[in-house]
Amino acid sequence: MAASRRASAGTGPSPDWTKRPANLAQALTGELVARIVRGVHAPGTPLPPEPALCESFSVSRTVVREAVKVLQEKGLVQVRQGSGTIVTAPTEWNMLDELVLGATIAQDDGITVLDDLVVTRRLLESDMANVAARVADGEIVERLRVLVDRMDELVGDPVAYADYDRAFHDTIMRASGNRIARAVVRQLESQVINTSRYTGRTERALCVASNLGHRRVYERIAFGDPEGASEAMFTHITEAWLVRRGGPGEPVRLRR
């Protein structure tokens, strides 16, 4: 009964906590991140006090303090003298953090966060395609050609096609030499690569259309056309996402 009251009050653990985790501080951090993102602990309000968290999760003060420290590092809370640990506004959260981004995507009932993710990816990859067209040597161009040709053969196998699709984009990102932009794109995609809302529709005709976009990007890079490569990548990512998301039309947020 006491556990039920704690859960309904927003201080108790989720059902995932029923099997006691090996790393308590890490698990408590993940639990609190999820609760903050879900709005159980709203921005501007304090987290439950330390003793309450210790009791609810059957952990020590050391575990709670370690978890709160990590939440601070992620931008989710601020410790204020005399006010306790206060949840910050979403604008302060580190959205590139794996736990924060994953929880935000899981919580998003629509595709707003995914739209933002695609916009970010599109901007970064368009710029990297521009650079790749300036610096790519014959080996890179040949590798892209082989990948595009192979994808033409795999349009009926969406799983295998997706592997080559990622390899194509990663080849361009590597060729650009922009390690930070590549790391951001890879981090963003790692959170959504296996979610149905991101992968969307995968029928053969859509793979065919997608690879036409890949081929246009490849051709612009092969011809050493930076602006053309950038525009082709921008268009490819936009059109592929609009088809996968299955929406009635292009949302304003996806326009240049």
Side-chain angles (χ1 to χ4, degrees):
M1 183 67 71
S4 297
R5 286 199 300 270
R6 289 198 301 269
S8 63
T11 60
S14 71
D16 293 337
W17 196 273
T18 54
K19 183 177 180 181
R20 193 167 177 81
N23 188 320
L24 292 174
Q26 189 177 78
L28 180 57
T29 299
E31 177 79 9
L32 292 175
V33 167
R35 295 175 72 82
I36 290 171
V37 170
R38 291 201 308 268
V40 174
H41 305 301
T45 66
L47 283 181
E50 197 174 272
L53 290 173
C54 291
E55 179 184 359
S56 297
F57 294 95
S58 300
V59 296
S60 68
R61 287 177 179 267
T62 300
V63 169
V64 171
R65 288 169 185 169
E66 186 175 343
V68 169
K69 180 181 178 181
V70 176
L71 292 178
Q72 283 184 275
E73 294 169 353
K74 297 178 186 298
L76 273 70
V77 300
Q78 289 182 341
V79 178
R80 299 177 185 170
Q81 191 68 29
S83 300
T85 302
I86 307 300
V87 177
T88 59
T91 52
E92 303 300 316
W93 301 350
N94 177 8
M95 291 304 296
L96 290 181
D97 179 84
E98 181 178 356
L99 284 177
V100 178
L101 179 59
T104 303
I105 291 170
Q107 173 61 22
D108 187 20
D109 292 333
I111 53 174
T112 301
V113 176
L114 294 180
D115 276 345
D116 288 344
L117 185 152
V118 171
V119 166
T120 303
R121 177 191 163 203
R122 182 179 65 181
L123 290 172
L124 293 175
E125 288 205 49
S126 295
D127 183 74
M128 285 187 278
N130 180 297
V131 177
R134 299 175 189 273
V135 303
D137 56 19
E139 181 181 349
I140 294 296
V141 170
E142 176 62 14
R143 190 178 307 165
L144 292 173
R145 183 194 66 77
V146 169
L147 288 168
V148 170
D149 287 348
R150 180 60 175 145
M151 280 188 281
D152 274 340
E153 300 170 357
L154 293 171
V155 291
D157 184 348
V159 175
Y161 179 91
D163 289 338
Y164 279 83
D165 187 339
R166 289 189 290 272
F168 177 85
H169 285 269
D170 196 53
T171 298
I172 293 171
M173 291 192 289
R174 283 179 179 273
S176 77
N178 191 332
R179 293 179 296 168
I180 293 177
R182 176 174 176 260
V184 171
V185 171
R186 285 167 62 85
Q187 174 67 9
L188 292 174
E189 284 224 299
S190 71
Q191 296 297 316
V192 295
I193 203 67
N194 294 316
T195 64
S196 59
R197 283 186 299 161
Y198 183 73
T199 56
R201 299 161 56 198
T202 57
E203 53 260 44
R204 185 182 189 281
L206 300 183
C207 291
V208 171
S210 171
N211 209 37
L212 289 175
H214 290 141
R215 191 168 291 281
R216 284 192 290 268
V217 174
Y218 151 69
E219 288 172 349
R220 292 302 91 203
I221 291 175
F223 277 103
D225 177 5
E227 294 302 321
S230 177
E231 184 64 32
M233 181 66 80
F234 187 98
T235 301
H236 163 61
I237 291 177
T238 301
E239 292 180 347
W241 172 236
L242 291 175
V243 169
R244 293 203 313 276
R245 77 198 291 276
E250 179 176 349
V252 173
R253 67 172 55 244
L254 281 178
R255 299 185 186 209
R256 189 190 291 274

